Structure formats: C-alpha cells, structure tokens
Amino acid sequence: MPVCRRKVTVIGAGNVGSTAAQRIAEAGVADVYLVDIVEGLPQGKALDLTESAPLQHHDQWIYGSNDYTDTTESDVIVVTAGLARQPGMARDDLLLKNAGIVRDVVTKAVHYSPDSILVIVTNPVDAMVHVALEASGFPRERVIGMAGVLDSARFRTFIAQDLGVSSSDVSAFVLGGHGDLMVPLPRYSTVAGIPLPDLMKPERIEALVQRTRDGGGEIVELLKSGSAFYAPASSVLHMVDSILSDRKRVLPCAVLLCGEYEIDDLVVGVPVVLGAAGVERIIEVALTADEQNALRASSLSVKSLVDTMARTRA
Ligand SMILES: NC(=O)c1ccc[n+]([C@@H]2O[C@H](COP(=O)([O-])OP(=O)(O)OC[C@H]3O[C@@H](n4cnc5c(N)ncnc54)[C@H](O)[C@@H]3O)[C@@H](O)[C@H]2O)c1
C-alpha cells in the first residue's frame, strides 16, 4: 500500500465523518484530521483509528482536534458537520440549522487551507454547496457536493440484487438533486454494457428507481436514530481518492451549473470528471424532453431552498 502524506480534514467526527476518516486512512489515500465541536470526540476517535493502523496494515496518521489551526494546508476538506435526519424528518428540515453550521466551519477551514478542495456532505447537500461556495469564495471547480455517487451506488445495488448479478458489473447514471427529485436515467444505466431497459421491464425499473429515491429514508426508518453512513463514507472515499490521485473518474457530483443542462446559477448533480483540480469537466449528455423536465423540477427544488436561505438571512 503506498505511503503518502497528503492531508484531508474531515469536519464532523460523527458517523459519516469518522467512517470516512477510517476509509480514507485504510485505503492509504491520506492522513486525516478529524475536527468536531465536541471536545474529546475527534481526539478519541482519531486515537482509536490510529491504534488500528498496525492491524489494518496502513501507515496513515489520524489526528483529532477542536482547533482549525491544526488543519492548515489540507489538500481536501470534507464537511460532514451538522445534524442528521431523524425518523419522520425531511432532509429540508435540516436546512437552516445546517446552513449556519456549514457557513461557520467552511469559513474557519478555508482560512487555513485556501488552496483546498471542498467536498460537502452535510444535508440538504445541494443547498449546502451554495452555502460553502459563498462562505469560501472558491471557484465552482473546488466546491463539490457528495450525493450522486451514493445515489448511483444504491441504484446499482438494487439492480444487481434484482438481476442476481455482481454490482461491479452494474453502472448506473443519476442526475439531479439528492433525494426525492433525483433523476435516475435507466437508458444510460447498464449491466456489463447492456442497457438496463433491455434486461428489465419498465415497471420493475420504476420500482427500483423509487427505492433508490427513498434509499436514505429506508435506512433512517430501520435505524430509528441517525441515518446511513457506511455507503456515504465509501462515496466520500471515492471522490477524495479521485481528486488526490488525479484519477479523472467520471462521477455524479453536485456542482454549480452555469448554463450546462440549460440550468444557471444552481447546484445540481451531474456527471463530472474529478481530478487534481477538482471538477475538471462537466459532461453533458442529450436528454429527452421528459428527462430535461425532471432535471429542471429537481433544480427548482434546490432553488426553493436557496431562496429560503436568502429570505432568512435578509
Ligand atoms: N450527502 C449525502 O448523501 C449524505 C449522506 C449521509 C449523511 N449526510 C449528512 O451528513 C451529515 C452528518 O451525518 P452523520 O450521520 O455523520 O451525523 P452525526 O450526528 O453522527 O455527526 C455529525 C457531527 O457533526 C458535529 N458538529 C455539529 N456542529 C458542528 C460544528 N459547528 N463544528 C464541528 N462539528 C460539528 C457533531 O458534533 C457530530 O459529531 C448530516 O447532515 C447528514 O444528513 C449526507
């Protein structure tokens, strides 16, 4: 496993943050600085994770802190700080509380790491990317929301389970905002290169699409307290690794659109090339009228959150 001293700060040492720290360190991708507002929490989790290094055969260090000076010159900053959804709570209920938290932590973190790339996880994630863009003043290439990687992993899982095939052979294409207005594109989703509509009836595909849309809520209902974190943490690892290893993977990410897909000045999930510079390219595919309408509806739901935040701050 390669040893490297690249530095990732993960803000929020809760379920997603600490599991993402574990995944990043165990993959040998970077040293990790865990930061949380709760004293002792990031320090305790970091020490526990570090003590597992000899057994997990990696050489990364994991540090815990409540002080942003320790995060100086991070290459990537992952923001998971905030409140998680509880049963019966919509992602959007979190909007205003989490906007305040994200604004605060991003402002502090970018002061010490002005050249970093931000990966935003806190929900509602599309709106939180808007907050992070404003708080950091970074260009859109360096402020990226995690949602599509998770949504497409869920869609791939459900397709693989349904067909009884390896999820490694399933590739799924998801556009739009995280959550109810996500826009999965079955005709661009394939099993070993075979388009999904050639393998499954439309009703079956629609059922799996709906389960994917409800994927976060399904886990919240089962857990009773807290929300998904294993697959979200794996999604963070994929994005961080593609950036730090300059892999130029094509991943669905929430980015600010400036006219792409006929959408302007709104953060929406689209396929991008993710490399050392962050979002290196936005890939535009031809959409049918229905798909374009679904994407527009998804972007309008993000707009309503952005408008709510603007009204509340006024
Ligand atoms: N984008 C996605 O697809 C996706 C997936 C899963 C979870 N999430 C979101 O990620 C966030 C974290 O989820 P979780 O399950 O880890 O929650 P969690 O409650 O386990 O952890 C959140 C952590 O943030 C910390 N925190 C709160 N305010 C802070 C501040 N001002 N500074 C530093 N730390 C602060 C808390 O102390 C806590 O440790 C939630 O908003 C959740 O909805 C998003």
Side-chain angles (χ1 to χ4, degrees):
M1 202 168 283
V3 179
C4 59
R5 299 264 78 98
R6 288 172 301 191
K7 183 167 174 179
V8 173
T9 286
V10 178
I11 307 176
N15 282 336
V16 178
S18 59
T19 312
Q22 178 185 4
R23 298 252 198 271
I24 291 165
E26 290 182 356
V29 168
D31 291 339
V32 183
Y33 284 66
L34 259 181
V35 177
D36 202 282
I37 199 166
V38 178
E39 282 184 27
L41 181 72
Q43 291 88 343
K45 290 197 174 180
L47 181 58
D48 193 10
L49 284 169
T50 300
E51 288 167 355
S52 71
L55 306 171
Q56 293 298 137
H57 308 293
H58 70 78
D59 302 279
Q60 307 302 151
W61 297 108
I62 301 116
Y63 303 92
S65 181
N66 308 108
D67 181 353
Y68 284 83
T69 55
D70 294 332
T71 69
T72 299
E73 289 186 15
S74 293
D75 299 294
V76 175
I77 294 168
V78 180
V79 178
T80 75
L83 308 179
R85 261 201 304 173
Q86 302 299 320
M89 192 182 188
R91 276 193 190 87
D92 300 354
D93 297 338
L94 299 176
L95 177 68
L96 297 176
K97 281 206 157 71
N98 282 354
I101 292 172
V102 170
R103 188 170 297 116
D104 179 49
V105 304
V106 166
T107 304
K108 288 174 178 153
V110 302
H111 179 74
Y112 295 103
S113 301
D115 300 321
S116 58
I117 292 174
L118 301 176
V119 174
I120 308 299
V121 179
T122 306
N123 272 323
V125 65
D126 311 283
M128 293 307 112
V129 175
H130 277 275
V131 173
L133 278 161
E134 191 186 295
S136 65
F138 283 5
R140 66 173 180 157
E141 291 77 14
R142 292 199 282 131
V143 187
I144 312 160
M146 187 289 285
V149 176
L150 173 62
D151 291 330
S152 66
R154 286 178 172 151
F155 195 27
R156 287 171 63 191
T157 304
F158 301 147
I159 293 166
Q161 283 177 340
D162 200 78
L163 292 173
V165 301
S166 165
S167 57
S168 314
D169 290 327
V170 180
S171 148
F173 195 104
V174 175
L175 288 173
H178 191 37
D180 303 342
L181 287 172
M182 180 182 81
V183 184
L185 294 191
R187 68 196 179 91
Y188 284 123
S189 303
T190 62
V191 179
I194 307 162
L196 194 55
D198 291 352
L199 294 167
M200 246 184 226
K201 292 198 171 6
E203 314 80 71
R204 195 69 211 132
I205 295 176
E206 188 44 43
L208 300 187
V209 163
Q210 195 52 47
R211 189 170 176 200
T212 305
R213 284 202 185 99
D214 298 338
E218 184 177 359
I219 291 180
V220 168
E221 292 301 327
L222 287 167
L223 291 179
K224 310 283 189 290
S225 149
S227 59
F229 57 96
Y230 291 116
S234 299
S235 307
V236 169
L237 168 64
H238 266 61
M239 292 173 65
V240 170
D241 179 45
S242 192
I243 293 166
L244 290 181
S245 304
D246 195 22
R247 290 193 194 280
K248 304 197 190 300
R249 295 202 53 193
V250 179
L251 298 172
C253 296
V255 296
L256 183 71
L257 298 187
C258 300
E260 296 90 353
Y261 289 96
E262 299 172 27
I263 294 170
D264 199 30
D265 205 24
L266 280 175
V267 171
V268 176
V270 291
V272 306
V273 178
L274 213 51
V279 173
E280 299 191 347
R281 192 151 40 102
I282 292 173
I283 296 181
E284 285 191 82
V285 296
L287 299 180
T288 64
D290 281 353
E291 290 163 351
Q292 185 66 44
N293 286 340
L295 187 62
R296 197 183 315 282
S298 180
S299 70
L300 288 178
S301 79
V302 177
K303 182 169 176 4
S304 81
L305 299 182
V306 173
D307 290 346
T308 304
M309 291 191 297
R311 267 199 311 278
T312 326
R313 290 191 80 196

